[in-house]
Amino acid sequence: MSTSTATPDVDVVVIGAGFTGIYAIHRFRDRMGLTVHGFDAAADVGGTWYWNRYPGARVDIESVHYSYSFDEQLQQEWHWTERFPAQPEILRYLSHVADRFDIRKDVTFGVRVTSATWDDDASFWRVTTDDGAVTTGRYLVSGAGTLSVPKVPDFPGVETFAGRTLLTGNWLEDVDLTGQRVGIIGTGSSGIQAISEIAKQAASLTVLQRTPNYATPIGNHSTDPEQEAAEKAAYSDIRAKSRNHFLGVPYDEVQPSALAVSPEQRRAVFDDRWNKGGFRLFIDSFADLLLDKAANDTAAEYIRERIRERVQDPATAELLCPTGYPYGTKRPPLETDYYEAYNRDTVTLVDVAANRIDAVMPQGVRLADGTVHELDVLVLATGFDACTGPLLAMNVTGRDGLRLADSWADGPQTYLGLTVHGFPNFFMVTGPQSPSVLYNMPLAIEDHVDLIGDVLAHLAESGHTVVEPSATAQDQWVAETNALSEMTLLPTSASSWYMGANIPGKPRRVLVYLGGAPRYRAICEDVKAGGWRGFAVADSSRGLETATPGQELDPCFMFVAETLRQQQFPGFRAAGVETARAVVDSFVGMQAPPQRVAAVSEHSYGPDPEQRLRVYRPDVDGDDGLPVLFYVHGGGFMAGGLDVVDEVVRDLAVRTRSVVVSATYRRPPEHRFPAAHDDASAALRWTVGHACEIGGDGHRISVAGDSAGGNLAAAAAVQAVRDGVHLTSLLLVYPLVSPTAQTASREQFAKGYVIELDDLAWFGEQYTSSEADVRDPRLALDTLTAADLAGLPPTLVITNECDTLRDEGEAFAQQLRAAGVDARAQRFEGLAHGAFWMSLAVFGCSDQRQAAADFLVAQAARDRAPALA
Ligand code: NAP
């Protein structure tokens, strides 16, 4: 192919002809009219199913789900003979699909990609293959797979072995092992499948096990014609359910917690899922197995009990029982008669954790204690350089000579696990940091290829040719991926390939997105709905340097925004008062379990039932009066209440070791301006008057509020200072400063960011009755004079980048500074309005609350009365 013109040879170069390559070629070529060329090192299609022909190789997601969904006729006409088909049948299926869509004509087989280099001048990729050819393509799509670079351990002397060495991950022919003395290293999914089969053939089988695994029954059987017909009749429904499931399968029996049921109930659930087979025990029993060690222990112990039942020799059974890591933190294998293999006289289990492999010799494997296991065949089922390995093996170089290997020296850096900053027009199907291996692969692949198709269509529509994610979007994605991983038990496993821990020297970083397929899909939807958030487009590579990316948004917020959109929430105005209040109250569902405090008491500061306070005393030793934090909740003046901020103020009480007084107030439309403002002031007066009584230090009272509550808090503080009250500090979390503020952030984030501009307008209409109300300095804080503001305590204004109220909050901090107040604004990138309440849903909430707490604690320390200092 030519290499010298500015027009590339093809629009899209596709790497790999497995599940990804086949669909990608069809999608881009046949459905989009692009020119496409594929490469695969294999002699034919199949990808992982081409290379893994070891005995026992079998899929472990049900075939009805582990298959393409993109073509209705294809899924109707194909017949699977088994529930979990073996490798040959899956390869036949892929060959059939390749025939049906005439894929092979656009693939060069038997060549391996040795480098892919972005040409900054021509704005396309140069792809070099090991036959010396260079092919240029505008877009580069990798379907190189996640588990396609086998790990070959460098045992000393491995090349001296006189027998035959076979690698499960590169096993291309049927090998007759009858009568052979076989040794196998590795008891992961591949090893376990192979052991069950090889044990039936070999004269002897020596299993050299370093780490035992939690293998559970696959539950395979022939396809039942009636069930097949029923599934085919409901296929679109099944696919939709699958895509709405964490793992991409339509399982629907998961229960919330293994610890919330009795031991008998738990046992019944485990028995049921064990008997049903597949990944049901892992993914469809209890939702907290990967999150809570105690819950995980129940499943781990259950599996150990079942192993002991199946293995006759107690010592062998104990060796096969995993104990050193939680269930599921290494990918759980599925098995058929695996444990029974050890009941054969011909099978020996050797513990190479206790007595490590020292060397491979011509006659077999020697262990550290000098024992030699003599072998004719050595099978290496030692795993893969997962997820990043296949991409790094291709020597990818992006803009300005940036090597992927350097960009990823500290672990993968991606946006959506699909694209990489610095690598224009490069797409990784099921790449690292995407759900990939934790999402039924064919569906994960279709989703990714479709998303790439949408990106390319967007480029064509906008008249651009080059696309790349911003560094900010990528950083946010890496943070989301790592934060999700930290919430699970995965990082506690010492050798899981999910964490890159199986390869010496590989950075320990989570390689998969643990938020599940539905969350991932929702985020991708929001990326699209938000005008391709985080992606910059340009006419050329150089143009990317100055291109403005679509507004990035923290992935947590993308999920929240998309969830609201899917619920078709019509906005607060259309919802009306009652629904608006219910929606705001429902934000409790986005909060972490509330912190424990020492005492909570309820108080009134006026006759109206709304004039209430809730006082939280943290569990702090000592008789000294604690600092007091007076907190006014937000909710557009007309919604919100003590319950929805209960978790927020408990957290602040714990973080700041302060007594927190949480105030609510009379709300519109029943009570209009200035009722809420009068009440906030009255509630603060109550707090000042009762500070000592509630265990606080009357000299150290800080005032805080969020959103509309920020407005109320600021106005109450101004009034208190005017009345001669000493305040320690003022914390305003994305405050409403004025109903009529006209700012760039109000325009930019008017729609699609949780609180919309029209919501603000409607809240204002509910609360105010006249123009005079709207301009009243208690509400329109921007009309307060320097004299009004002078004397306010040190103030922190927290703002969020993607918030309608951002600019007015920051302007208010300036206004305070101009009046001589020690004030500053702290902006949180990528967050939107409401984050301060969303401790469970939005990971950045914790940073925001910590910033608030650090500020409050520092001010309280500084303001300590001399006698107590
Ligand atoms: P794996 O899960 O990484 O297992 C590798 C095995 O080799 C482990 O038991 C490991 O022990 C052992 N090992 C590696 N280096 C060793 C050394 N130097 N000395 C002694 N033992 C060593 O690899 P895999 O079994 O090929 O499976 C990889 C993934 O492929 C699976 O998790 C799964 O996602 C996929 N797969 C799927 C299927 C299917 O769908 N049915 C089948 C096969 C594979 P340690 O644990 O101590 O490191």
Side-chain angles (χ1 to χ4, degrees), residues 118-149:
W118 176 252
D119 185 325
D120 276 312
D121 296 321
S123 297
F124 57 52
W125 285 94
R126 292 181 184 281
V127 178
T128 307
T129 41
D130 59 4
D131 57 355
V134 177
T135 305
T136 56
R138 182 74 67 206
Y139 308 103
L140 177 63
V141 174
S142 171
T146 48
L147 295 155
S148 52
V149 173

mmCIF file of all heavy atoms in Angstrom, residues 118-149:
data_model
loop_
_atom_site.group_PDB
_atom_site.id
_atom_site.type_symbol
_atom_site.label_atom_id
_atom_site.label_comp_id
_atom_site.label_asym_id
_atom_site.label_seq_id
_atom_site.Cartn_x
_atom_site.Cartn_y
_atom_site.Cartn_z
ATOM 1 N N TRP A 118 1.579 7.845 14.843
ATOM 2 C CA TRP A 118 0.750 8.958 14.366
ATOM 3 C C TRP A 118 1.628 9.942 13.608
ATOM 4 O O TRP A 118 2.712 10.326 14.086
ATOM 5 C CB TRP A 118 0.090 9.652 15.557
ATOM 6 C CG TRP A 118 -0.706 10.871 15.212
ATOM 7 C CD1 TRP A 118 -0.378 12.168 15.468
ATOM 8 C CD2 TRP A 118 -1.979 10.907 14.555
ATOM 9 N NE1 TRP A 118 -1.355 13.011 15.016
ATOM 10 C CE2 TRP A 118 -2.354 12.276 14.451
ATOM 11 C CE3 TRP A 118 -2.830 9.934 14.034
ATOM 12 C CZ2 TRP A 118 -3.551 12.672 13.851
ATOM 13 C CZ3 TRP A 118 -4.019 10.343 13.446
ATOM 14 C CH2 TRP A 118 -4.372 11.686 13.357
ATOM 15 N N ASP A 119 1.181 10.311 12.427
ATOM 16 C CA ASP A 119 1.919 11.271 11.612
ATOM 17 C C ASP A 119 1.315 12.645 11.863
ATOM 18 O O ASP A 119 0.192 12.927 11.444
ATOM 19 C CB ASP A 119 1.801 10.857 10.137
ATOM 20 C CG ASP A 119 2.636 11.741 9.222
ATOM 21 O OD1 ASP A 119 2.737 12.950 9.511
ATOM 22 O OD2 ASP A 119 3.165 11.211 8.227
ATOM 23 N N ASP A 120 2.067 13.488 12.563
ATOM 24 C CA ASP A 120 1.536 14.798 12.942
ATOM 25 C C ASP A 120 1.249 15.680 11.734
ATOM 26 O O ASP A 120 0.350 16.518 11.777
ATOM 27 C CB ASP A 120 2.548 15.523 13.844
ATOM 28 C CG ASP A 120 2.415 15.096 15.295
ATOM 29 O OD1 ASP A 120 1.279 15.075 15.798
ATOM 30 O OD2 ASP A 120 3.439 14.778 15.914
ATOM 31 N N ASP A 121 2.045 15.523 10.660
ATOM 32 C CA ASP A 121 1.845 16.390 9.492
ATOM 33 C C ASP A 121 0.657 15.922 8.664
ATOM 34 O O ASP A 121 -0.159 16.720 8.216
ATOM 35 C CB ASP A 121 3.116 16.397 8.623
ATOM 36 C CG ASP A 121 4.280 17.001 9.401
ATOM 37 O OD1 ASP A 121 4.037 17.979 10.142
ATOM 38 O OD2 ASP A 121 5.405 16.470 9.305
ATOM 39 N N ALA A 122 0.572 14.622 8.489
ATOM 40 C CA ALA A 122 -0.501 14.097 7.635
ATOM 41 C C ALA A 122 -1.784 13.844 8.411
ATOM 42 O O ALA A 122 -2.843 13.651 7.827
ATOM 43 C CB ALA A 122 -0.025 12.803 6.975
ATOM 44 N N SER A 123 -1.686 13.831 9.748
ATOM 45 C CA SER A 123 -2.841 13.557 10.604
ATOM 46 C C SER A 123 -3.462 12.198 10.296
ATOM 47 O O SER A 123 -4.684 12.074 10.118
ATOM 48 C CB SER A 123 -3.908 14.657 10.483
ATOM 49 O OG SER A 123 -3.392 15.883 10.921
ATOM 50 N N PHE A 124 -2.637 11.208 10.211
ATOM 51 C CA PHE A 124 -3.144 9.834 10.143
ATOM 52 C C PHE A 124 -2.135 8.871 10.749
ATOM 53 O O PHE A 124 -1.012 9.267 11.116
ATOM 54 C CB PHE A 124 -3.579 9.437 8.735
ATOM 55 C CG PHE A 124 -2.545 9.560 7.638
ATOM 56 C CD1 PHE A 124 -1.281 8.979 7.747
ATOM 57 C CD2 PHE A 124 -2.849 10.226 6.442
ATOM 58 C CE1 PHE A 124 -0.359 9.053 6.720
ATOM 59 C CE2 PHE A 124 -1.930 10.317 5.405
ATOM 60 C CZ PHE A 124 -0.680 9.733 5.556
ATOM 61 N N TRP A 125 -2.547 7.631 10.857
ATOM 62 C CA TRP A 125 -1.699 6.610 11.481
ATOM 63 C C TRP A 125 -0.905 5.856 10.423
ATOM 64 O O TRP A 125 -1.429 5.571 9.332
ATOM 65 C CB TRP A 125 -2.563 5.606 12.270
ATOM 66 C CG TRP A 125 -3.057 6.189 13.560
ATOM 67 C CD1 TRP A 125 -4.253 6.799 13.767
ATOM 68 C CD2 TRP A 125 -2.346 6.230 14.798
ATOM 69 N NE1 TRP A 125 -4.332 7.229 15.068
ATOM 70 C CE2 TRP A 125 -3.172 6.887 15.727
ATOM 71 C CE3 TRP A 125 -1.082 5.782 15.220
ATOM 72 C CZ2 TRP A 125 -2.790 7.109 17.049
ATOM 73 C CZ3 TRP A 125 -0.702 6.002 16.531
ATOM 74 C CH2 TRP A 125 -1.544 6.661 17.429
ATOM 75 N N ARG A 126 0.341 5.545 10.750
ATOM 76 C CA ARG A 126 1.159 4.649 9.920
ATOM 77 C C ARG A 126 1.312 3.349 10.686
ATOM 78 O O ARG A 126 1.893 3.336 11.769
ATOM 79 C CB ARG A 126 2.560 5.234 9.693
ATOM 80 C CG ARG A 126 2.564 6.455 8.859
ATOM 81 C CD ARG A 126 3.964 6.998 8.636
ATOM 82 N NE ARG A 126 3.862 8.228 7.891
ATOM 83 C CZ ARG A 126 3.660 8.282 6.575
ATOM 84 N NH1 ARG A 126 3.587 7.179 5.869
ATOM 85 N NH2 ARG A 126 3.536 9.451 5.964
ATOM 86 N N VAL A 127 0.771 2.307 10.107
ATOM 87 C CA VAL A 127 0.763 1.014 10.793
ATOM 88 C C VAL A 127 1.726 0.079 10.068
ATOM 89 O O VAL A 127 1.567 -0.184 8.868
ATOM 90 C CB VAL A 127 -0.659 0.418 10.811
ATOM 91 C CG1 VAL A 127 -0.664 -0.950 11.489
ATOM 92 C CG2 VAL A 127 -1.618 1.370 11.532
ATOM 93 N N THR A 128 2.735 -0.375 10.791
ATOM 94 C CA THR A 128 3.751 -1.247 10.195
ATOM 95 C C THR A 128 3.505 -2.676 10.655
ATOM 96 O O THR A 128 3.238 -2.918 11.842
ATOM 97 C CB THR A 128 5.161 -0.806 10.635
ATOM 98 O OG1 THR A 128 5.303 0.578 10.350
ATOM 99 C CG2 THR A 128 6.244 -1.582 9.893
ATOM 100 N N THR A 129 3.596 -3.600 9.722
ATOM 101 C CA THR A 129 3.412 -5.016 10.063
ATOM 102 C C THR A 129 4.727 -5.765 9.859
ATOM 103 O O THR A 129 5.639 -5.254 9.206
ATOM 104 C CB THR A 129 2.297 -5.630 9.194
ATOM 105 O OG1 THR A 129 2.430 -5.148 7.857
ATOM 106 C CG2 THR A 129 0.930 -5.270 9.723
ATOM 107 N N ASP A 130 4.783 -6.974 10.425
ATOM 108 C CA ASP A 130 6.070 -7.678 10.429
ATOM 109 C C ASP A 130 6.470 -8.215 9.059
ATOM 110 O O ASP A 130 7.538 -8.816 8.918
ATOM 111 C CB ASP A 130 6.121 -8.771 11.502
ATOM 112 C CG ASP A 130 5.037 -9.818 11.336
ATOM 113 O OD1 ASP A 130 4.278 -9.745 10.334
ATOM 114 O OD2 ASP A 130 4.947 -10.702 12.206
ATOM 115 N N ASP A 131 5.638 -7.989 8.047
ATOM 116 C CA ASP A 131 6.064 -8.301 6.678
ATOM 117 C C ASP A 131 6.697 -7.079 6.023
ATOM 118 O O ASP A 131 6.990 -7.075 4.831
ATOM 119 C CB ASP A 131 4.869 -8.795 5.845
ATOM 120 C CG ASP A 131 3.742 -7.781 5.816
ATOM 121 O OD1 ASP A 131 3.845 -6.743 6.518
ATOM 122 O OD2 ASP A 131 2.747 -8.011 5.112
ATOM 123 N N GLY A 132 6.868 -5.999 6.796
ATOM 124 C CA GLY A 132 7.527 -4.798 6.282
ATOM 125 C C GLY A 132 6.578 -3.788 5.679
ATOM 126 O O GLY A 132 6.983 -2.670 5.353
ATOM 127 N N ALA A 133 5.321 -4.145 5.496
ATOM 128 C CA ALA A 133 4.379 -3.228 4.853
ATOM 129 C C ALA A 133 3.970 -2.116 5.814
ATOM 130 O O ALA A 133 3.937 -2.301 7.034
ATOM 131 C CB ALA A 133 3.148 -3.993 4.393
ATOM 132 N N VAL A 134 3.672 -0.949 5.232
ATOM 133 C CA VAL A 134 3.152 0.166 6.019
ATOM 134 C C VAL A 134 1.798 0.539 5.435
ATOM 135 O O VAL A 134 1.657 0.725 4.225
ATOM 136 C CB VAL A 134 4.109 1.379 5.961
ATOM 137 C CG1 VAL A 134 3.517 2.561 6.726
ATOM 138 C CG2 VAL A 134 5.475 1.009 6.525
ATOM 139 N N THR A 135 0.818 0.637 6.274
ATOM 140 C CA THR A 135 -0.524 1.006 5.827
ATOM 141 C C THR A 135 -0.938 2.247 6.598
ATOM 142 O O THR A 135 -0.739 2.323 7.817
ATOM 143 C CB THR A 135 -1.520 -0.134 6.137
ATOM 144 O OG1 THR A 135 -1.022 -1.323 5.548
ATOM 145 C CG2 THR A 135 -2.899 0.180 5.590
ATOM 146 N N THR A 136 -1.496 3.210 5.896
ATOM 147 C CA THR A 136 -1.925 4.423 6.580
ATOM 148 C C THR A 136 -3.438 4.427 6.733
ATOM 149 O O THR A 136 -4.166 3.992 5.832
ATOM 150 C CB THR A 136 -1.460 5.679 5.819
ATOM 151 O OG1 THR A 136 -1.952 5.614 4.483
ATOM 152 C CG2 THR A 136 0.061 5.752 5.796
ATOM 153 N N GLY A 137 -3.867 4.918 7.858
ATOM 154 C CA GLY A 137 -5.306 4.975 8.122
ATOM 155 C C GLY A 137 -5.623 6.199 8.957
ATOM 156 O O GLY A 137 -4.851 6.567 9.852
ATOM 157 N N ARG A 138 -6.739 6.846 8.674
ATOM 158 C CA ARG A 138 -7.109 8.049 9.441
ATOM 159 C C ARG A 138 -7.399 7.674 10.896
ATOM 160 O O ARG A 138 -7.061 8.403 11.814
ATOM 161 C CB ARG A 138 -8.355 8.684 8.790
ATOM 162 C CG ARG A 138 -8.819 9.946 9.454
ATOM 163 C CD ARG A 138 -7.928 11.148 9.166
ATOM 164 N NE ARG A 138 -7.976 11.554 7.769
ATOM 165 C CZ ARG A 138 -6.993 12.208 7.136
ATOM 166 N NH1 ARG A 138 -5.872 12.505 7.790
ATOM 167 N NH2 ARG A 138 -7.101 12.543 5.867
ATOM 168 N N TYR A 139 -8.021 6.533 11.065
ATOM 169 C CA TYR A 139 -8.377 6.095 12.420
ATOM 170 C C TYR A 139 -7.764 4.725 12.677
ATOM 171 O O TYR A 139 -7.673 3.896 11.761
ATOM 172 C CB TYR A 139 -9.902 6.022 12.587
ATOM 173 C CG TYR A 139 -10.573 7.299 12.163
ATOM 174 C CD1 TYR A 139 -11.230 7.392 10.932
ATOM 175 C CD2 TYR A 139 -10.498 8.430 12.962
ATOM 176 C CE1 TYR A 139 -11.799 8.582 10.518
ATOM 177 C CE2 TYR A 139 -11.062 9.628 12.556
ATOM 178 C CZ TYR A 139 -11.718 9.701 11.325
ATOM 179 O OH TYR A 139 -12.264 10.890 10.915
ATOM 180 N N LEU A 140 -7.399 4.517 13.938
ATOM 181 C CA LEU A 140 -6.801 3.241 14.321
ATOM 182 C C LEU A 140 -7.658 2.633 15.427
ATOM 183 O O LEU A 140 -7.846 3.251 16.490
ATOM 184 C CB LEU A 140 -5.373 3.476 14.830
ATOM 185 C CG LEU A 140 -4.616 2.253 15.330
ATOM 186 C CD1 LEU A 140 -4.411 1.231 14.201
ATOM 187 C CD2 LEU A 140 -3.248 2.676 15.893
ATOM 188 N N VAL A 141 -8.199 1.462 15.145
ATOM 189 C CA VAL A 141 -9.085 0.815 16.109
ATOM 190 C C VAL A 141 -8.439 -0.495 16.533
ATOM 191 O O VAL A 141 -8.213 -1.385 15.712
ATOM 192 C CB VAL A 141 -10.476 0.558 15.491
ATOM 193 C CG1 VAL A 141 -11.347 -0.245 16.446
ATOM 194 C CG2 VAL A 141 -11.151 1.880 15.148
ATOM 195 N N SER A 142 -8.151 -0.598 17.827
ATOM 196 C CA SER A 142 -7.515 -1.823 18.304
ATOM 197 C C SER A 142 -8.559 -2.803 18.825
ATOM 198 O O SER A 142 -9.290 -2.512 19.765
ATOM 199 C CB SER A 142 -6.516 -1.515 19.419
ATOM 200 O OG SER A 142 -6.100 -2.750 19.981
ATOM 201 N N GLY A 143 -8.547 -3.962 18.198
ATOM 202 C CA GLY A 143 -9.307 -5.091 18.719
ATOM 203 C C GLY A 143 -8.308 -6.176 19.070
ATOM 204 O O GLY A 143 -8.532 -7.363 18.828
ATOM 205 N N ALA A 144 -7.181 -5.729 19.649
ATOM 206 C CA ALA A 144 -6.084 -6.669 19.916
ATOM 207 C C ALA A 144 -6.360 -7.548 21.121
ATOM 208 O O ALA A 144 -5.570 -8.433 21.429
ATOM 209 C CB ALA A 144 -4.768 -5.896 20.113
ATOM 210 N N GLY A 145 -7.465 -7.275 21.800
ATOM 211 C CA GLY A 145 -7.866 -8.163 22.889
ATOM 212 C C GLY A 145 -7.309 -7.747 24.235
ATOM 213 O O GLY A 145 -6.439 -6.862 24.332
ATOM 214 N N THR A 146 -7.831 -8.392 25.259
ATOM 215 C CA THR A 146 -7.400 -8.086 26.621
ATOM 216 C C THR A 146 -6.473 -9.165 27.160
ATOM 217 O O THR A 146 -5.626 -8.906 27.999
ATOM 218 C CB THR A 146 -8.615 -7.971 27.558
ATOM 219 O OG1 THR A 146 -9.440 -9.097 27.340
ATOM 220 C CG2 THR A 146 -9.395 -6.719 27.303
ATOM 221 N N LEU A 147 -6.682 -10.398 26.689
ATOM 222 C CA LEU A 147 -5.911 -11.544 27.199
ATOM 223 C C LEU A 147 -5.306 -12.259 26.006
ATOM 224 O O LEU A 147 -5.662 -13.396 25.686
ATOM 225 C CB LEU A 147 -6.840 -12.462 28.001
ATOM 226 C CG LEU A 147 -7.408 -11.809 29.277
ATOM 227 C CD1 LEU A 147 -8.714 -12.443 29.699
ATOM 228 C CD2 LEU A 147 -6.401 -11.865 30.410
ATOM 229 N N SER A 148 -4.412 -11.547 25.308
ATOM 230 C CA SER A 148 -3.877 -12.118 24.076
ATOM 231 C C SER A 148 -2.353 -12.137 24.044
ATOM 232 O O SER A 148 -1.783 -12.627 23.072
ATOM 233 C CB SER A 148 -4.422 -11.341 22.866
ATOM 234 O OG SER A 148 -4.196 -9.962 23.041
ATOM 235 N N VAL A 149 -1.717 -11.590 25.071
ATOM 236 C CA VAL A 149 -0.251 -11.697 25.135
ATOM 237 C C VAL A 149 0.080 -12.645 26.284
ATOM 238 O O VAL A 149 0.040 -12.274 27.453
ATOM 239 C CB VAL A 149 0.406 -10.312 25.376
ATOM 240 C CG1 VAL A 149 1.903 -10.454 25.609
ATOM 241 C CG2 VAL A 149 0.138 -9.395 24.190
#
